[in-house]
Amino acid sequence: MASGARSIRLCLRSVRPAPIPPRVGGRAHVSRRALSWTSARWYPPTEGDNGEGPHQGGAEGANTGGHQGDASSQTRAQASAEDRSAPSRRSGPDNDELARMNDRALADANNIMLKATTPPKIDLRRSFWSEDEEEPDLITDERTDEQFDEDDIMSLAHGKLEEFREFREYARIAAWEMPLLSKLAVPFAPPTAQEPLRFRYTSYMGEFHPAENKVVVEFSPRDLPLDEAQKLKLKKLLGSRYNPETDIAKMSCEQFEHQAQNKRYLSDLVDKLIVEAKDTTDTFEDVPLDTRHHRFKIKPKFPREWRMSDERRRFLADTRQQSLLLDERKEAEGTLIDGKEKLEQFFNPQEAEEQLPEYARAGLLQGTPKSTRLRF
């Protein structure tokens, strides 16, 4: 803080008027004013001066001062006297006024230094360690110049309203503008033999994406004007871009900035492949078609024999009818086995033995092992 006050004091000292220098000989030296480009000048004495002004020191002073006998200085003094013979002349402020100005400048500098060095007052009620202070809520306590009068909603609510406005805008577009696109609809026409290439583009609905310039082309070698040997050579040239299961070749390009450039590159590439396939200098007959890049997936199919047909329905009906007739015959003969009864005998062997006749129960106890008494 002291350095700041010192800088202010130096600035004020440079701006204040220069004090009256003491008289030396017959003339006085006028100090150079601050922030001035004019040089100091010597003025001859005039009538009415009391011999103490800053503009004295003319020819007489030159004769009585330390510059006596200097002819050149006398000549300059005479020229100056002739120039200053006009009624207009300069006069500086008196001593009292200069003293008052100096005192005022020093008082202002002292006040500025006192304000800079005085520590600020700390309000203990709002200090960091105050217990009564409540932490401001950054969401509800919005720091704005205007005072909140409970007549508006928070910024989060404004953001939610903006989101709803965007949804409603798209809903209006879908309701009123999208149906107008039906006027531009064109009936679908399948591609002809002169259009074997199928291009695919990617769009992100106006948003910038690095994959937006990508273009994919698909075609089948059987749709191109080539014979069998040329088609086989084309498949070998395609390599891993050929799918032997679907007989479709697929290539993509995204090295250029625009989609039109990538599409043109793919079109030229297909033309070069066709030219190479038609070249008869080397037909690649000794090179087999490599399909190791493709993994064939075996899809299970429903057996043809299991499909429901009229013959299958008649066969099932006859089988069920024969089973019913066999059960009725066994029931009449008494040889039909009741499954429910067998389960009860297995889980409750003692009750089953008590229900058997005496001769059967005695034979079971004498001749059959315990583990197989009820198994008949």
Side-chain angles (χ1 to χ4, degrees):
M1 302 300 292
S3 62
R6 185 177 180 183
S7 301
I8 296 173
R9 181 176 295 178
L10 292 175
C11 292
L12 294 174
R13 183 178 296 174
S14 63
V15 175
R16 69 180 183 180
I20 301 173
R23 181 176 179 180
V24 180
R27 53 184 177 178
H29 174 71
V30 180
S31 63
R32 188 174 181 180
R33 293 177 297 169
L35 304 177
S36 176
W37 295 96
T38 60
S39 59
R41 300 183 61 182
W42 298 90
Y43 297 98
T46 57
E47 296 181 0
D49 290 341
N50 54 6
E52 296 181 357
H55 306 290
Q56 288 191 4
E60 297 178 1
N63 296 327
T64 60
H67 301 282
Q68 292 179 1
D70 191 357
S72 61
S73 61
Q74 293 178 1
T75 305
R76 289 195 299 269
Q78 293 176 2
S80 300
E82 294 177 358
D83 294 339
R84 301 299 298 174
S85 59
S88 62
R89 61 183 177 177
R90 297 186 181 180
S91 62
D94 55 356
N95 296 335
D96 297 337
E97 185 178 357
L98 290 175
R100 286 194 300 271
M101 293 174 64
N102 293 335
D103 295 340
R104 192 181 301 111
L106 290 175
D108 295 341
N110 291 332
N111 293 333
I112 293 173
M113 183 175 64
L114 182 62
K115 291 181 181 179
T117 55
T118 302
K121 295 183 179 180
I122 301 176
D123 190 0
L124 298 178
R125 293 176 299 176
R126 296 186 179 182
S127 63
F128 180 78
W129 303 105
S130 179
E131 297 180 356
D132 298 335
E133 183 182 4
E134 296 182 359
E135 295 183 359
D137 192 355
L138 299 179
I139 298 178
T140 58
D141 188 11
E142 297 181 354
R143 298 181 179 180
T144 55
D145 297 337
E146 298 180 0
Q147 187 176 2
F148 184 66
D149 296 334
E150 301 294 338
D151 57 350
D152 197 0
I153 58 179
M154 294 184 295
S155 58
L156 291 177
H158 277 291
K160 200 66 177 177
L161 283 177
E162 189 64 26
E163 186 179 354
F164 288 155
R165 292 189 188 99
E166 186 177 1
F167 291 161
R168 290 169 65 88
E169 179 66 21
Y170 282 109
R172 283 191 289 269
I173 292 174
W176 301 101
E177 298 183 12
M178 289 295 182
L180 300 178
L181 298 177
S182 60
K183 299 178 181 179
L184 306 176
V186 178
F188 173 74
T192 60
Q194 288 75 23
E195 301 173 350
L197 303 181
R198 181 174 60 182
F199 292 94
R200 188 184 68 192
Y201 309 94
T202 305
S203 177
Y204 292 88
M205 301 298 293
E207 296 182 3
F208 175 76
H209 197 275
E212 190 175 7
N213 57 347
K214 182 179 180 180
V215 180
V216 182
V217 62
E218 295 181 356
F219 64 93
S220 179
R222 64 173 177 269
D223 297 335
L224 300 178
L226 302 173
D227 54 13
E228 295 299 330
Q230 295 174 354
K231 291 179 183 178
L232 182 59
K233 183 179 178 180
L234 178 61
K235 295 176 183 178
K236 296 176 182 178
L237 291 173
L238 290 171
S240 60
R241 299 170 183 81
Y242 173 71
N243 188 349
E245 189 173 359
T246 58
D247 195 20
I248 293 177
K250 182 170 67 174
M251 295 183 296
S252 63
C253 179
E254 53 181 343
Q255 61 181 348
F256 298 103
E257 183 178 1
H258 301 286
Q259 291 182 348
Q261 295 174 330
N262 294 320
K263 180 180 179 181
R264 181 58 181 269
Y265 174 79
L266 291 174
S267 178
D268 296 342
L269 185 60
V270 173
D271 294 338
K272 292 179 182 178
L273 288 173
I274 294 174
V275 172
E276 291 293 334
K278 293 181 178 180
D279 189 7
T280 58
T281 55
D282 190 0
T283 58
F284 296 168
E285 294 180 355
D286 54 340
V287 179
L289 180 62
D290 190 5
T291 59
R292 290 176 296 177
H293 60 275
H294 180 74
R295 183 178 178 181
F296 291 88
K297 297 181 180 180
I298 301 175
K299 298 180 180 179
K301 296 182 180 180
F302 196 80
R304 187 178 182 84
E305 293 79 8
W306 293 2
R307 296 179 182 177
M308 188 61 67
S309 59
D310 295 340
E311 297 179 359
R312 182 68 178 174
R313 292 190 182 92
R314 287 195 295 268
F315 173 76
L316 294 176
D318 294 343
T319 303
R320 295 192 186 97
Q321 187 65 25
Q322 292 177 6
S323 299
L324 292 175
L325 293 176
L326 182 60
D327 293 342
E328 291 177 359
R329 188 180 63 186
K330 289 182 178 181
E331 186 178 3
E333 295 177 355
T335 58
L336 183 64
I337 299 174
D338 191 359
K340 185 177 180 181
E341 183 180 353
K342 288 294 182 181
L343 291 175
E344 292 178 357
Q345 292 177 3
F346 179 80
F347 290 109
N348 300 317
Q350 295 181 358
E351 295 180 1
E353 291 180 0
E354 293 176 359
Q355 294 178 2
L356 291 174
E358 295 182 358
Y359 65 90
R361 189 166 47 198
L364 291 173
L365 294 174
Q366 293 177 1
T368 59
K370 184 176 181 180
S371 60
T372 58
R373 288 177 184 176
L374 300 178
R375 296 179 182 178
F376 42 74

